[in-house]
Amino acid sequence: MQTWDDKLPIYQQLADHLAASLLDGELPEGEPMPSVRTLASRYLLNPLTVSRALQALGDEGLVETRRGLGCYVRTGARERLKQAERRRFLTEEWPQLRTRLRRLDISAEHLNWEE
């Protein structure tokens, strides 16, 4: 079961969780997303919260609403998301991680990339 924290609004946490599922290939491109009711039931959330999460994904160009059919994963969404996550990692997370590795005197030889 998904747990929510107080750091971000729940709709954003759900959008992030769904984006991670898309990135992992669990939500195939061109296929319909689970319905609002299905997601609300699965995550025990208000349907309005779920709708807002899907809108956030739509605003990012990852899903599209097809009138009368529901919400679909857009073609190219996985690659678009992967590029955005790479940029974010390289500009925000990697500099902090590199600094911490240097501070702890951890080199590439100490890291196991296979696990």
Side-chain angles (χ1 to χ4, degrees):
M1 176 181 274
Q2 180 71 37
T3 57
W4 313 107
D5 63 42
D6 295 335
K7 295 178 185 172
L8 289 172
I10 292 176
Y11 83 89
Q12 187 60 58
Q13 292 177 64
L14 178 59
D16 292 346
H17 178 75
L18 294 172
S21 295
L22 187 128
L23 196 56
D24 293 340
E26 296 170 14
L27 299 170
E29 293 181 359
E31 295 295 315
M33 294 286 294
S35 71
V36 170
R37 287 184 182 159
T38 298
L39 291 170
S41 175
R42 182 181 301 163
Y43 295 104
L44 304 174
L45 295 172
N46 185 306
L48 292 174
T49 302
V50 173
S51 293
R52 197 159 175 202
L54 293 174
Q55 179 62 49
L57 293 177
D59 292 347
E60 293 177 28
L62 302 175
V63 299
E64 64 183 344
T65 301
R66 297 181 187 169
R67 180 171 239 150
L69 298 175
C71 200
Y72 283 73
V73 178
R74 294 183 70 141
T75 302
R78 186 167 187 252
E79 188 58 34
R80 183 179 304 114
L81 183 58
K82 191 183 297 184
Q83 292 296 327
E85 286 294 308
R86 283 180 183 156
R87 270 191 309 276
R88 188 182 63 73
F89 175 79
L90 291 173
T91 60
E92 297 174 20
E93 293 178 39
W94 175 244
Q96 294 174 8
L97 182 58
R98 185 177 54 223
T99 300
R100 181 144 190 210
L101 289 169
R102 284 182 183 149
R103 195 175 285 138
L104 297 173
D105 198 25
I106 297 173
S107 66
E109 296 82 36
H110 296 105
L111 301 173
N112 183 352
W113 297 103
E114 300 302 319
E115 289 184 26

